[in-house]
Amino acid sequence: MNSKMTTPQIRALKGQVKLVACTAYDYTFARLADELVDILLVGDSLGMVFQGRENTLSVTLDQIIYHTQAVARGARHAHVVADLPFMSYQVNAEEALRNSGRLISEGMAEGVKLEGGVTMAKTVERIVEAGIPVMGHIGLTPQSVHAMGGFKVQGKSPSARESLMQDALALEDAGVYAIVLEGIPSGLAKAISEKVQIPTIGIGAGVGCDGQVLVSTDLLGMNPHFKPKFLKHFAQVGEEVKDALQEFAQEVREGVFPDASHSFAD
Ligand code: KIV
């Protein structure tokens, strides 16, 4: 896996192999994940898992640019896509285009992601026309947390299901290269995935999607207490970190570390 994953390749992989994506916020993690996943998402989830906020709403464009620069330096293979944060694209299409341009030229992202379906289609078109690849994101859209009344599964009623199907089709028509389906019933995600010609990437949307994405700190089990239904901890890194720090602290306090093998001779 030497060459860079491109958006045409991502599109072409639909129906061939499942796409694998995870979030990344820094260089060291990007280096580790680069050869193992197809897509690194610099998600505005960094507001919650990196900054400790209640939601993603206070994340700024400059913060996303800063983290994207770090991730891009570590990504030799994986495609790097960066989130347009809250209010960086909702006001109008021109502002959305200008801010997308900053993620590409300053952040070194290779694509941008925004939340919303039918209502965002014109904005997506404007950005895509300028040569910037756009990834869509529908269903549980965290930037609408207050409108949704919390982080709740979407698309449960027949009319909500139909709206989400229309959202996906509108995004496809507008030119997105992939769509994140978050927090929707698995049958609906499968139906959307079968209907659109572009890859769907699920999170809390079942196995019928064309790929899966998880927040890296979540899948690594860095917060052992955070375990919503859709999440699997693929490691217990939180416990490992605590064990290592405990051992380090003990060895320092007992004068065991550093020993001769970790010291420079006179
Ligand atoms: O911000 C983020 O990490 C995301 C993923 C959860 C898809 O949008």
Side-chain angles (χ1 to χ4, degrees):
M1 281 210 269
N2 292 324
S3 62
K4 194 74 176 161
M5 180 67 79
T6 64
T7 54
Q9 281 168 343
I10 289 169
R11 277 171 175 268
L13 286 174
K14 183 173 175 100
Q16 306 296 314
V17 292
K18 293 263 189 184
L19 288 162
V20 182
C22 69
T23 62
Y25 315 110
D26 67 80
Y27 169 82
T28 304
F29 181 83
R31 290 292 300 127
L32 288 172
D34 184 42
E35 296 265 319
L36 304 171
V37 303
D38 303 305
I39 300 172
L40 290 172
L41 166 65
V42 185
D44 59 2
S45 52
L46 70 86
M48 299 170 79
V49 299
F50 186 86
Q51 299 174 339
R53 309 261 188 183
E54 288 287 303
N55 54 50
T56 61
L57 301 180
S58 56
V59 175
T60 67
L61 189 68
D62 285 336
Q63 289 167 353
I64 297 275
I65 289 171
Y66 172 81
H67 286 275
T68 306
Q69 287 169 341
V71 170
R73 282 182 210 117
R76 320 255 157 100
H77 156 73
H79 168 72
V80 177
V81 55
D83 258 342
L84 280 160
F86 182 58
M87 279 300 128
S88 68
Y89 61 96
Q90 288 92 341
V91 174
N92 60 52
E94 295 310 299
E95 208 169 296
L97 175 57
R98 197 169 305 112
N99 289 332
S100 299
R102 287 194 63 201
L103 289 178
I104 302 291
S105 64
E106 294 176 48
M108 310 306 287
E110 294 140 6
V112 303
K113 177 166 82 59
L114 56 75
E115 297 180 7
V118 171
T119 56
M120 281 299 146
K122 287 266 174 296
T123 299
V124 170
E125 263 175 37
R126 183 79 182 97
I127 303 170
V128 170
E129 273 166 13
I132 299 176
V134 179
M135 181 183 284
H137 182 163
I138 58 174
L140 193 173
T141 44
Q143 292 177 18
S144 305
V145 60
H146 297 312
M148 293 183 301
F151 296 106
K152 294 180 177 160
V153 174
Q154 303 294 302
K156 285 179 154 177
S157 69
S159 69
R161 287 175 64 93
E162 183 50 30
S163 299
L164 282 169
M165 181 62 85
Q166 293 310 319
D167 283 337
L169 291 169
L171 287 173
E172 180 177 33
D173 279 354
V176 299
Y177 65 95
I179 309 177
V180 170
L181 302 179
E182 179 168 357
I184 64 174
S186 47
L188 172 59
K190 187 166 186 285
I192 292 174
S193 304
E194 285 169 358
K195 190 90 176 174
V196 297
Q197 306 300 308
I198 45 171
T200 59
I201 304 175
I203 171 166
V207 77
C209 301
D210 300 303
Q212 298 291 327
V213 59
L214 283 176
V215 170
S216 49
T217 47
D218 293 348
L219 80 89
L220 293 173
M222 292 186 78
N223 177 358
H225 306 295
F226 183 65
K227 202 160 184 313
K229 185 175 169 65
F230 69 86
L231 176 62
K232 177 172 173 183
H233 289 164
F234 289 85
Q236 275 69 46
V237 171
E239 291 305 329
E240 286 255 342
V241 168
K242 278 165 65 179
D243 287 350
L245 289 173
Q246 196 170 19
E247 202 176 321
F248 170 58
Q250 189 175 340
E251 290 198 10
V252 169
R253 289 181 185 126
E254 290 173 356
V256 172
F257 178 85
D259 58 10
S261 72
H262 294 98
S263 305
F264 301 103
D266 291 316

